[in-house]
């Protein structure tokens, strides 16, 4: 991909006419606790499922772990200063459940809460709005040992943890996300086993998905009780799903994958029901006996906003006998009841994750959620790309990532013009970090991290994003 414009230095505004975003549009960047914090065994923190998973042979590329990660726990002040230099209006971070509540039950750990108090205070001192995510995949290991998300009790424990965080930080944090990408937690964690805790059981994945959403609903209610003024939402990762052709088998394959990837979560969260066709598709996997009276009403507790993470599009086709297995994030066991659906590659440009680059899909996704589900404010809570970066003379000229951001922000602007109430955008990610099962081999950051020295280098994309924030828009192409 070509660079759409030479990136100006931080603070230099490109004055050419272009696309302007609405006043007050929230420009941010995002991270997750296990991916950046490190300090895995300090100040009372106990293991999460990702600590256990990453320390298990063969689970993470090259045996990498999040023990140190970006050492953000010890470099909080410097990292917030970098955010301020970029001009971020908001920073979306997650709280480490086992840092705040070791073991997943009982009283809060004061040292853990103090870290997040310092983070929030530092953000506010620099004029950056804190955006707190309660769960970004780091379930305390004792709760997994007791059954994990397939066990109903985990949802209740999540609500208890939510109250601890709300009591400590709710006076200074306005925006709250309950869950980040429950599809990944359920279907990669308990279906394919590619993510922590590494289980492979389709029925458990479906149960985990339901209990994650139940925990979300209980957490919303806990937040409302503790902090009535909080603005509360959930973040789901969504994909346009297209059939490879108009053939009936391909069309049905798209319906099935759309059900598992998108409607499994959107319908309960925003309509208070599971789609009938999805329940039928899953009839060989589960009879949904884990769904109790009142669950769906709790899951659909009213929200203030919806977060959408967007990275790519799925194109699928009917089964063909002897088809080659798909990459792990599309592994058959990610799709219980639809294991034989084929995912089709189209020969378009891809990122270093082998994810197809498809900016128009963001427009489709945002319009679908608004047109079919809700009038609530929407936020793009993650959007970004991994590419191979090279440091040359102390600089990282990541032209492909810059072009990716530019294309997707133009798509976001198009969605706004089409009437979508999009209120903000969070680039993924603020800095290179521990990329889950890929360890440190994939880089999504706008800021380069040398994992040996912990030196941070803002990339070209960071300088460009700073100019976008300054102008509240994009330069002309």
């Amino acid at each position: 991909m070509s660079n759409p414009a030479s990136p100006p230095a931080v603070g230099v505004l490109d004055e050419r006419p272009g696309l302007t975003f609405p006043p007050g549009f929230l420009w941010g960047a995002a991270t997750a606790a296990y991916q950046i914090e490190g300090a895995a065994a300090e100040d009372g923190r106990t293991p999460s499922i990702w600590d256990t998973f990453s320390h298990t042979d063969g689970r993470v590329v090259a045996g990498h772990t999040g023990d140190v990660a970006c050492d953000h726990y010890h470099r909080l002040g410097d990292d917030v200063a970098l955010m301020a230099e970029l001009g971020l209006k908001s920073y979306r971070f997650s709280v480490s459940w086992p840092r705040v509540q070791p073991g997943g039950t009982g009283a809060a750990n004061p040292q853990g809460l103090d870290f997040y108090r310092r983070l929030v205070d530092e953000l506010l001192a620099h004029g950056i709005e804190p955006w707190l995510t309660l769960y970004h995949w780091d379930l305390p290991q004792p709760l997994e040992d007791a059954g994990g998300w397939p066990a109903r009790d985990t949802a209740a424990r999540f609500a208890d943890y939510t109250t601890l965080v709300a009591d400590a930080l709710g006076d200074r944090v306005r925006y709250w996300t309950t869950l980040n990408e429950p599809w990944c937690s359920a279907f990669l964690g308990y279906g394919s086993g590619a993510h922590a805790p590494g289980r492979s059981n389709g029925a458990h994945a479906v149960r985990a998905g339901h209990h994650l959403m139940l925990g979300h609903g209980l957490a919303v209610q806990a937040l409302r009780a503790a902090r009535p003024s909080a603005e509360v939402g959930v973040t789901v990762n969504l994909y346009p799903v297209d059939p490879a052709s108009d053939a009936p088998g391909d069309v049905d394959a798209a319906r099935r994958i759309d059900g598992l990837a998108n409607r499994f979560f959107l319908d309960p969260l925003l309509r208070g029901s599971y789609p009938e066709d999805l329940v039928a598709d899953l009839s060989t996997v589960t009879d949904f006996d884990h769904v109790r009276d009142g669950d769906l009403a709790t899951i659909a507790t009213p929200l203030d906003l919806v977060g959408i993470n967007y990275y790519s599009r799925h194109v699928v086709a009917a089964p063909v006998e002897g088809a080659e297995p798909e990459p792990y994030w599309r592994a058959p066991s990610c799709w219980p009841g639809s294991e034989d659906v084929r995912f089709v590659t189209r020969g378009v440009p891809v990122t270093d994750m082998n994810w197809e680059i498809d900016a128009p899909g963001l427009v489709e996704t945002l319009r679908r959620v608004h047109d079919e589900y809700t009038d609530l404010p929407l936020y793009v809570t993650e959007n970004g790309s991994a590419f191979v970066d090279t440091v040359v003379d102390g600089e990282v000229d990541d032209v492909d990532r810059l072009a990716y951001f530019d294309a997707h922000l133009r798509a976001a602007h198009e969605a706004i013009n089409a009437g979508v109430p999009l209120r903000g955008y969070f680039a993924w990610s603020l800095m290179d970090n521990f990329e889950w099962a890929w360890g440190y081999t994939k880089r999504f950051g706008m800021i380069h991290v040398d994992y040996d020295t912990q030196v941070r280098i803002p990339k070209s994309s960071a300088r460009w994003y700073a100019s976008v924030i300054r102008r509240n828009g994009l330069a002309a192409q």
Side-chain angles (χ1 to χ4, degrees), residues 133-146:
T133 297
L134 285 160
Y135 186 73
H136 201 132
W137 309 354
D138 49 0
L139 184 70
Q141 184 61 44
L143 293 185
E144 172 60 22
D145 296 340

Side-chain angles (χ1 to χ4, degrees), residues 120-165:
V120 168
D121 289 347
E122 194 76 9
L123 291 169
L124 292 173
H126 285 82
I128 301 170
E129 187 83 52
W131 187 300
L132 190 154
T133 297
L134 285 160
Y135 186 73
H136 201 132
W137 309 354
D138 49 0
L139 184 70
Q141 184 61 44
L143 293 185
E144 172 60 22
D145 296 340
W149 284 110
R152 186 180 184 86
D153 186 63
T154 303
R157 301 288 72 74
F158 182 59
D160 293 344
Y161 152 70
T162 297
T163 297
L164 295 178
V165 181

Side-chain angles (χ1 to χ4, degrees), residues 152 155-156 209-219 294-296 298-299:
R152 186 180 184 86
H210 179 76
H211 292 143
L212 280 154
M213 289 188 286
L214 179 61
H216 151 81
L218 294 171
D295 281 6
L296 288 164
T298 298
I299 290 168

Side-chain angles (χ1 to χ4, degrees), residues 87-446:
L88 294 187
K89 303 303 181 185
S90 185
Y91 172 54
R92 179 174 174 255
F93 63 94
S94 77
V95 171
S96 168
W97 188 347
R99 192 181 298 285
V100 163
Q101 191 186 39
T105 59
N109 171 28
Q111 291 173 295
L113 284 175
D114 282 348
F115 169 73
Y116 295 106
R117 290 189 180 99
R118 293 195 303 274
L119 173 59
V120 168
D121 289 347
E122 194 76 9
L123 291 169
L124 292 173
H126 285 82
I128 301 170
E129 187 83 52
W131 187 300
L132 190 154
T133 297
L134 285 160
Y135 186 73
H136 201 132
W137 309 354
D138 49 0
L139 184 70
Q141 184 61 44
L143 293 185
E144 172 60 22
D145 296 340
W149 284 110
R152 186 180 184 86
D153 186 63
T154 303
R157 301 288 72 74
F158 182 59
D160 293 344
Y161 152 70
T162 297
T163 297
L164 295 178
V165 181
D167 287 345
L169 301 175
D171 60 333
R172 285 157 290 172
V173 176
R174 174 184 176 187
Y175 292 104
W176 297 74
T177 294
T178 54
L179 306 175
N180 181 78
E181 298 186 349
W183 183 88
C184 294
S185 296
F187 291 102
L188 291 180
Y190 294 93
S192 74
H195 278 192
R199 291 203 234 166
S200 298
N201 183 299
H204 289 179
V206 174
R207 293 174 70 93
H210 179 76
H211 292 143
L212 280 154
M213 289 188 286
L214 179 61
H216 151 81
L218 294 171
V220 174
Q221 294 174 3
L223 280 164
R224 298 266 189 252
R227 301 292 177 180
S229 62
E231 297 199 29
V232 186
V234 65
T235 282
V236 286
N237 54 310
L238 303 178
Y239 301 81
V241 182
D242 294 334
S245 75
D246 293 333
D250 292 355
V251 172
D252 189 62
R255 179 196 62 78
R256 296 174 75 94
I257 297 305
D258 177 64
L260 287 166
N262 300 320
R263 294 182 289 121
F264 184 98
F265 297 99
L266 288 173
D267 280 47
L269 291 166
L270 298 173
R271 292 178 176 167
S273 63
Y274 281 107
E276 292 183 2
D277 66 308
L278 173 67
V279 174
D281 291 343
L282 288 167
S283 62
T284 59
V285 178
T286 177
D287 60 5
F288 280 83
D289 64 344
H290 53 276
V291 180
R292 297 185 184 176
D293 290 345
D295 281 6
L296 288 164
T298 298
I299 290 168
T301 300
L303 299 173
D304 301 299
L305 57 94
V306 176
I308 295 169
N309 292 358
Y310 175 78
Y311 289 96
S312 190
R313 179 189 300 271
H314 293 324
V315 179
V316 297
V320 170
E321 187 174 353
E324 291 294 317
E326 297 293 339
Y328 84 90
W329 61 90
R330 296 173 177 167
S333 52
C334 291
W335 310 104
S338 297
E339 295 90 346
D340 52 0
V341 170
R342 292 182 298 131
F343 285 77
V344 178
T345 55
R346 298 175 292 162
V348 302
V350 298
T351 69
D352 193 38
M353 298 292 291
N354 203 33
W355 297 347
E356 294 187 350
I357 299 170
D358 194 318
L362 177 58
V363 184
E364 294 175 37
T365 298
L366 292 170
R367 293 192 65 171
R368 180 188 187 183
V369 173
H370 175 60
D371 293 346
E372 297 183 18
Y373 285 95
T374 184
D375 291 327
L376 287 171
L378 305 182
Y379 291 81
V380 175
T381 37
E382 284 184 28
N383 176 241
S385 55
F387 289 104
V388 176
D389 296 322
T390 304
V391 181
V392 179
D393 296 329
E395 300 285 338
V396 180
D397 191 18
D398 58 335
V399 294
D400 289 335
R401 183 175 294 105
L402 192 161
Y404 181 100
F405 281 136
D406 182 85
H408 285 77
L409 284 174
R410 293 181 189 280
H413 192 275
E414 180 181 337
I416 293 170
N417 283 345
V420 174
L422 182 64
R423 302 288 190 255
Y425 175 94
F426 291 80
W428 184 269
S429 175
L430 175 69
M431 65 181 77
D432 296 332
N433 53 49
F434 177 84
E435 184 47 42
W436 307 114
W438 290 101
Y440 299 104
T441 66
K442 306 294 182 183
R443 292 181 178 269
F444 276 86
M446 294 186 294

